[in-house]
Amino acid sequence: MRPIFQAVVLAASGAAATFLCGQILSAQEHAHGAHAHGAHAGHGSAAEGKEPMERPTIFLDKSPRVVAYQLKRLDNTRLLLVERFDTDVKYAPIYLAILTRAGMSPQYREEAVAALAKLNQSDAVDVLLSALAEVDDSDRQTRRTADQLSRLLLALPANVLAEHADDLAAAAAEEAAVVRKAGFAGLVVAGEQDRAAAIADADSDAMVDFLLSVPLVPKTNDRNGMRSLVIAQVSHSDPAVQRAAIRAIGAITAGRQQTFKQLAPLFTDADVRDSVVQTLLTIPADQRDPQTGAKLLADLAQFAEQTPAAKRTEDFFIDAMQLAVESLASVSPEQSRIYRDRLRAVAVRAVRIRTVEEEMRYDTPYFAVEAGRPVQVVLDNEDLMPHNFVLTVPGALKEVAQLGLKVGPDGGLDGKQYVPESELVLHATDMVPAGTQVRLTFDAPAEPGEYPYVCTFPQHWQRMYGVMIVVEDLDEWLRNPVPPTDPIGSNRSFVQSWQVSDLADSLEDGMRGRSPEIGMRIFKEASCANCHQVGGQGGAVGPALDDVFGRWKGDAKAVLQEILEPSHRIDAKYAMHVVLTLEGKTISGLIVEENKDEVLLLENPEALKPTVISQDDIEEIVKTSTSMMPKALLDQYTQDEVLELMAYLKGLAEKKPAE
């Protein structure tokens, strides 16, 4: 079974780079339980001409501590090569290591859950709760692992979780915070919200974890149903509970107008101020009461003036000033100008932009600045891949991205990777590694207009872009904001964050009677053709899709999952590698060949030949279980359009034999 498009970024220190770029078992090799682990381990190298990696030997007859030590010494690639069968309990430690290891893709975690449930004669709920207890969430990677395990648990049917209500209640009272949060969220999904609240009433620590579990609850309606319980804790005597409640209410979409009225006055409370700002920024402008907003603006201006200069560069201050700018629309034009002058005296117009993990996009589609005035862009890369921020002249987004592709990792403008030396580029950052931040300060152009910004890392520009709107009078624009024209011509807006469960029941009937022409149009419009071929036309980053339904044995749900959850299965054949060199350069792509002296990396579909990197120049090869294909590709399409695309792909497989 081959996914529609997958990419994984391999990682290790420079000394381990050679063997880590080797074989990874494909999704097919682990999709069918015990048979795959004995028959296929040791086949399917990711690069041409590479010798299969030798399967590690683990002595399972030793003490549990020794077995755990042996497994811990293996990187993820070698751990997946260890022989394992779901017919003998001695293999349980291997499955547990796979389930709880950071950087594992969901396909292997699901395999491990099924195997452990069989070996332990239990079920997925028991396995996942036990696994969560094994996870140390002390850093970003392990916290992400805990989150993935929690989401696997909460994705189980509500009736299954309801059967384990007692187990979930026990989990909610456990010592480990990650287990408690999963237990609370599980009870809510199971329809036991009142029971969860009763456990949370035990003490402040329990209440904090109950509140922090709210964003984990998958369904919007379930989260909205918790509003009264959450809002009641905003007035709690313990500031920690207050902060958790204020953050939790940000994940609840119901009653946002009332939420704004209740939270805005709390900005003056230093104990909860940071949480208030974060949540208020999530509330749409049209749901903010003007009278409340005017008072908030006064408080924000006073706060800005009283903040020491040394603290005005901190992230919280920048966020608070963003809220202040947004609040200018709450007052009259005359008052707005007075406040604007007060804010200018103490702070530069700053905009904080975050990257969205796995979705290859910025969280800020546009922002406005005043012509000729100083601006600071703060880019927080919260994704697992490197990104940059390049500001272009109007209408030049695509051309700059293509020029950046030609520049490549060797660097162009001021030595910045993938940034061309061109009059079309106004300002740019270098590549920003995962989990880091960069600040770019400049004067806005004197000429009003719509200035695109884009990530010029290969293939990112088609989704990762936005617009800086330069206006003569920012106060006037804020009173009547007009969204910019999409710089690549898309006229689509968000429809729904599609999940497989939203569409699974309507697939069989919904694909009937569809139009191949409409499906083909959506295929191209959704950027599928940039990386995949149909009939010999299209990109070559991912596999051709002419027979995708054939490869999945006609399983429409499986095909849909590969589209909506591209990181669910990782195929070594299309694995992406990000190489960090000793000179600090970042080079990414598909490894087409590797030997003891060098690595040959195909950076992008348009590259005429691979980039050659000496093994001696490699600092590390960074690994992630995230696919290069972003999530949310179809979130701007209706259900009918998604079904049109699915019917088109199915029709390709049905036509293939006749050709």
Side-chain angles (χ1 to χ4, degrees), residues 404-412 415-419 430-431 457-458 579 581 583-588 601 603-604 611 613:
L405 189 64
K406 294 179 180 178
V407 168
D410 292 334
K416 296 181 174 71
Q417 295 181 290
Y418 306 104
V419 180
D430 207 338
M431 297 308 304
F457 199 75
V579 178
T581 70
E583 294 180 353
K585 295 178 180 178
T586 302
I587 309 170
S588 73
L601 199 77
E603 292 186 63
N604 59 80
T611 299
I613 311 166

Side-chain angles (χ1 to χ4, degrees), residues 93-236:
I94 301 171
Y95 287 111
L96 181 60
I98 291 171
L99 180 58
T100 57
R101 180 72 66 88
M104 281 291 175
S105 60
Q107 72 191 68
Y108 298 120
R109 297 199 199 281
E110 291 179 3
E111 173 211 328
V113 169
L116 287 168
K118 180 179 178 181
L119 292 171
N120 297 334
Q121 297 183 350
S122 59
D123 62 15
V125 176
D126 291 330
V127 169
L128 287 165
L129 288 175
S130 298
L132 279 164
E134 299 289 328
V135 176
D136 172 18
D137 64 336
S138 58
D139 58 39
R140 184 170 181 255
Q141 273 284 69
T142 53
R143 283 193 295 273
R144 189 168 181 269
T145 299
D147 182 67
Q148 290 174 338
L149 294 178
S150 297
R151 295 191 185 282
L152 280 176
L153 174 71
L154 300 172
L156 295 171
N159 65 309
V160 172
L161 293 173
E163 293 172 0
H164 285 268
D166 290 343
D167 297 323
L168 293 167
E174 282 284 348
E175 182 177 350
V178 294
V179 180
R180 288 201 302 270
K181 286 185 285 188
F184 280 126
L187 286 172
V188 172
V189 174
E192 297 278 356
Q193 184 187 101
D194 291 340
R195 187 172 182 180
I199 297 170
D201 279 334
D203 55 53
S204 292
D205 289 342
M207 182 57 73
V208 166
D209 286 325
F210 170 66
L211 295 166
L212 293 178
S213 75
V214 173
L216 291 175
V217 176
K219 293 186 178 179
T220 302
N221 288 341
D222 288 341
R223 294 195 302 274
N224 287 346
M226 301 174 72
R227 189 180 188 282
S228 60
L229 291 172
V230 173
I231 206 71
Q233 302 305 318
V234 171
S235 58
H236 199 282

Side-chain angles (χ1 to χ4, degrees), residues 604-620:
N604 59 80
E606 290 84 7
L608 298 178
K609 60 182 180 179
T611 299
V612 180
I613 311 166
S614 170
Q615 292 282 11
D616 292 337
D617 292 337
I618 295 175
E619 173 68 24
E620 60 179 339

Side-chain angles (χ1 to χ4, degrees), residues 329-366:
S330 301
V331 298
S332 68
E334 295 76 16
Q335 289 177 307
S336 180
R337 288 186 177 86
I338 293 172
Y339 278 115
R340 166 70 60 193
D341 289 340
R342 289 174 64 183
L343 293 173
R344 282 176 179 162
V346 296
V348 171
R349 168 75 167 119
V351 179
R352 194 174 181 198
I353 299 176
R354 298 175 176 86
T355 63
V356 181
E357 185 175 329
E358 294 191 44
E359 295 190 18
M360 202 181 294
R361 67 178 177 88
Y362 303 114
D363 72 342
T364 305
Y366 62 88

